[in-house]
Short mmCIF file of all heavy atoms in Angstrom, two decimals:
data_model
loop_
_atom_site.label_atom_id
_atom_site.label_comp_id
_atom_site.label_asym_id
_atom_site.label_seq_id
_atom_site.Cartn_x
_atom_site.Cartn_y
_atom_site.Cartn_z
N TRP I 202 1.31 49.22 -1.63
CA TRP I 202 0.00 48.92 -1.07
C TRP I 202 -0.51 47.50 -1.49
O TRP I 202 -1.50 47.04 -0.98
CB TRP I 202 -1.05 49.95 -1.51
CG TRP I 202 -1.09 50.11 -3.02
CD1 TRP I 202 -0.42 51.03 -3.77
CD2 TRP I 202 -1.82 49.31 -3.95
NE1 TRP I 202 -0.69 50.85 -5.09
CE2 TRP I 202 -1.61 49.82 -5.28
CE3 TRP I 202 -2.73 48.27 -3.80
CZ2 TRP I 202 -2.15 49.24 -6.40
CZ3 TRP I 202 -3.29 47.67 -4.97
CH2 TRP I 202 -3.00 48.24 -6.22
N GLN I 203 0.23 46.86 -2.39
CA GLN I 203 -0.25 45.59 -2.98
C GLN I 203 0.02 44.40 -2.05
O GLN I 203 0.83 43.55 -2.39
CB GLN I 203 0.42 45.38 -4.34
CG GLN I 203 0.15 46.52 -5.35
CD GLN I 203 1.26 47.59 -5.30
OE1 GLN I 203 1.93 47.74 -4.25
NE2 GLN I 203 1.47 48.24 -6.43
N TYR I 204 -0.66 44.35 -0.92
CA TYR I 204 -0.38 43.32 0.07
C TYR I 204 -1.53 42.29 0.08
O TYR I 204 -2.68 42.64 0.05
CB TYR I 204 -0.25 43.93 1.44
CG TYR I 204 1.07 44.66 1.69
CD1 TYR I 204 1.11 46.03 1.72
CD2 TYR I 204 2.26 43.95 1.86
CE1 TYR I 204 2.31 46.75 1.93
CE2 TYR I 204 3.45 44.62 2.06
CZ TYR I 204 3.45 46.01 2.16
OH TYR I 204 4.65 46.65 2.31
N ALA I 205 -1.11 41.04 0.20
CA ALA I 205 -1.99 39.96 0.65
C ALA I 205 -1.65 39.69 2.08
O ALA I 205 -0.54 39.90 2.53
CB ALA I 205 -1.80 38.71 -0.21
N CYS I 243 2.49 39.87 2.53
CA CYS I 243 3.56 39.88 1.50
C CYS I 243 3.06 40.64 0.30
O CYS I 243 1.81 40.73 0.05
CB CYS I 243 3.94 38.44 1.12
SG CYS I 243 2.66 37.53 0.21
N LEU I 244 3.98 41.23 -0.44
CA LEU I 244 3.63 41.94 -1.70
C LEU I 244 3.24 40.91 -2.75
O LEU I 244 3.87 39.84 -2.86
CB LEU I 244 4.79 42.80 -2.16
CG LEU I 244 5.05 44.08 -1.35
CD1 LEU I 244 6.32 44.73 -1.81
CD2 LEU I 244 3.85 45.04 -1.52
N ILE I 245 2.28 41.29 -3.56
CA ILE I 245 1.81 40.43 -4.66
C ILE I 245 1.66 41.25 -5.93
O ILE I 245 1.75 42.50 -5.86
CB ILE I 245 0.47 39.77 -4.31
CG1 ILE I 245 -0.60 40.84 -4.10
CG2 ILE I 245 0.58 38.86 -3.07
CD1 ILE I 245 -2.01 40.29 -3.94
N ASP I 246 1.43 40.63 -7.09
CA ASP I 246 1.03 41.32 -8.28
C ASP I 246 -0.43 41.69 -8.20
O ASP I 246 -1.26 40.82 -8.16
CB ASP I 246 1.33 40.48 -9.49
CG ASP I 246 2.81 40.31 -9.80
OD1 ASP I 246 3.54 41.28 -9.56
OD2 ASP I 246 3.20 39.18 -10.19
N TRP I 247 -0.70 42.99 -8.23
CA TRP I 247 -2.07 43.48 -8.05
C TRP I 247 -2.24 44.72 -8.93
O TRP I 247 -1.83 45.78 -8.57
CB TRP I 247 -2.38 43.80 -6.58
CG TRP I 247 -3.84 44.09 -6.29
CD1 TRP I 247 -4.84 44.27 -7.12
CD2 TRP I 247 -4.37 44.24 -4.93
NE1 TRP I 247 -5.99 44.53 -6.47
CE2 TRP I 247 -5.74 44.50 -5.08
CE3 TRP I 247 -3.82 44.17 -3.64
CZ2 TRP I 247 -6.55 44.71 -3.98
CZ3 TRP I 247 -4.65 44.39 -2.56
CH2 TRP I 247 -6.04 44.63 -2.75
N PRO I 248 -2.85 44.60 -10.10
CA PRO I 248 -2.90 45.69 -11.05
C PRO I 248 -3.89 46.76 -10.62
O PRO I 248 -4.71 46.60 -9.74
CB PRO I 248 -3.30 45.00 -12.37
CG PRO I 248 -4.11 43.82 -11.90
CD PRO I 248 -3.45 43.35 -10.64
N LEU I 249 -3.84 47.89 -11.36
CA LEU I 249 -4.75 49.02 -11.15
C LEU I 249 -5.95 48.86 -12.07
O LEU I 249 -5.89 48.18 -13.08
CB LEU I 249 -4.03 50.34 -11.45
CG LEU I 249 -2.86 50.71 -10.50
CD1 LEU I 249 -2.19 52.00 -11.00
CD2 LEU I 249 -3.39 50.89 -9.07
N PRO I 255 -7.70 50.19 -7.25
CA PRO I 255 -7.05 48.99 -7.71
C PRO I 255 -8.06 48.07 -8.39
O PRO I 255 -9.27 48.25 -8.23
CB PRO I 255 -6.50 48.38 -6.39
CG PRO I 255 -7.47 48.85 -5.36
CD PRO I 255 -7.87 50.25 -5.81
N ALA I 256 -7.57 47.10 -9.13
CA ALA I 256 -8.47 46.13 -9.70
C ALA I 256 -9.02 45.21 -8.52
O ALA I 256 -8.58 45.36 -7.37
CB ALA I 256 -7.68 45.24 -10.66
N ASP I 257 -9.92 44.32 -8.86
CA ASP I 257 -10.46 43.42 -7.83
C ASP I 257 -9.31 42.65 -7.18
O ASP I 257 -8.36 42.30 -7.85
CB ASP I 257 -11.44 42.42 -8.44
CG ASP I 257 -12.75 43.10 -8.88
OD1 ASP I 257 -13.06 44.17 -8.36
OD2 ASP I 257 -13.42 42.49 -9.77
N PRO I 258 -9.45 42.38 -5.86
CA PRO I 258 -8.37 41.60 -5.22
C PRO I 258 -8.13 40.25 -5.92
O PRO I 258 -9.08 39.54 -6.20
CB PRO I 258 -8.90 41.39 -3.80
CG PRO I 258 -9.84 42.53 -3.58
CD PRO I 258 -10.47 42.80 -4.95
N PRO I 259 -6.88 39.91 -6.31
CA PRO I 259 -6.62 38.65 -6.97
C PRO I 259 -6.83 37.49 -6.04
O PRO I 259 -6.53 37.54 -4.86
CB PRO I 259 -5.16 38.75 -7.41
CG PRO I 259 -4.60 39.79 -6.48
CD PRO I 259 -5.66 40.73 -6.12
N GLU I 260 -7.37 36.40 -6.61
CA GLU I 260 -7.58 35.18 -5.84
C GLU I 260 -6.36 34.28 -5.94
O GLU I 260 -5.70 34.25 -6.98
CB GLU I 260 -8.82 34.46 -6.32
CG GLU I 260 -10.10 35.29 -6.17
CD GLU I 260 -11.36 34.47 -6.51
OE1 GLU I 260 -11.50 33.38 -5.98
OE2 GLU I 260 -12.17 35.01 -7.26
N ASN I 261 -6.05 33.59 -4.88
CA ASN I 261 -4.89 32.66 -4.80
C ASN I 261 -3.62 33.37 -5.23
O ASN I 261 -2.90 32.87 -6.10
CB ASN I 261 -5.16 31.48 -5.69
CG ASN I 261 -6.44 30.71 -5.26
OD1 ASN I 261 -6.63 30.43 -4.09
ND2 ASN I 261 -7.26 30.40 -6.24
N PRO I 262 -3.25 34.50 -4.66
CA PRO I 262 -2.06 35.22 -5.08
C PRO I 262 -0.77 34.55 -4.66
O PRO I 262 -0.75 33.82 -3.64
CB PRO I 262 -2.22 36.55 -4.38
CG PRO I 262 -2.98 36.27 -3.11
CD PRO I 262 -3.97 35.15 -3.52
N GLU I 263 0.31 34.78 -5.39
CA GLU I 263 1.64 34.32 -5.05
C GLU I 263 2.47 35.49 -4.55
O GLU I 263 2.37 36.63 -5.09
CB GLU I 263 2.27 33.70 -6.23
CG GLU I 263 1.65 32.42 -6.74
CD GLU I 263 1.85 31.24 -5.83
OE1 GLU I 263 2.91 31.27 -5.05
OE2 GLU I 263 1.01 30.34 -5.81
N CYS I 264 3.19 35.27 -3.47
CA CYS I 264 4.08 36.33 -2.95
C CYS I 264 5.20 36.65 -3.91
O CYS I 264 5.80 35.75 -4.48
CB CYS I 264 4.67 35.89 -1.60
SG CYS I 264 3.47 35.73 -0.28
N VAL I 265 5.48 37.95 -4.10
CA VAL I 265 6.59 38.39 -4.88
C VAL I 265 7.60 39.13 -4.02
O VAL I 265 8.61 39.67 -4.52
CB VAL I 265 6.15 39.31 -6.08
CG1 VAL I 265 5.25 38.54 -7.01
CG2 VAL I 265 5.45 40.53 -5.54
N GLY I 266 7.36 39.12 -2.69
CA GLY I 266 8.27 39.72 -1.75
C GLY I 266 8.28 38.91 -0.47
O GLY I 266 7.52 37.92 -0.35
N PRO I 284 -6.51 40.46 -0.45
CA PRO I 284 -6.33 39.06 -0.86
C PRO I 284 -5.71 38.28 0.26
O PRO I 284 -5.08 38.80 1.16
CB PRO I 284 -5.35 39.20 -2.06
CG PRO I 284 -5.37 40.60 -2.41
CD PRO I 284 -5.67 41.39 -1.20
#
Side-chain angles (χ1 to χ4, degrees):
W202 54 267
Q203 302 94 331
Y204 285 107
C243 69
L244 286 173
I245 62 171
D246 288 323
W247 189 351
L249 296 174
D257 291 338
E260 299 188 48
N261 302 313
E263 294 289 335
C264 293
V265 296

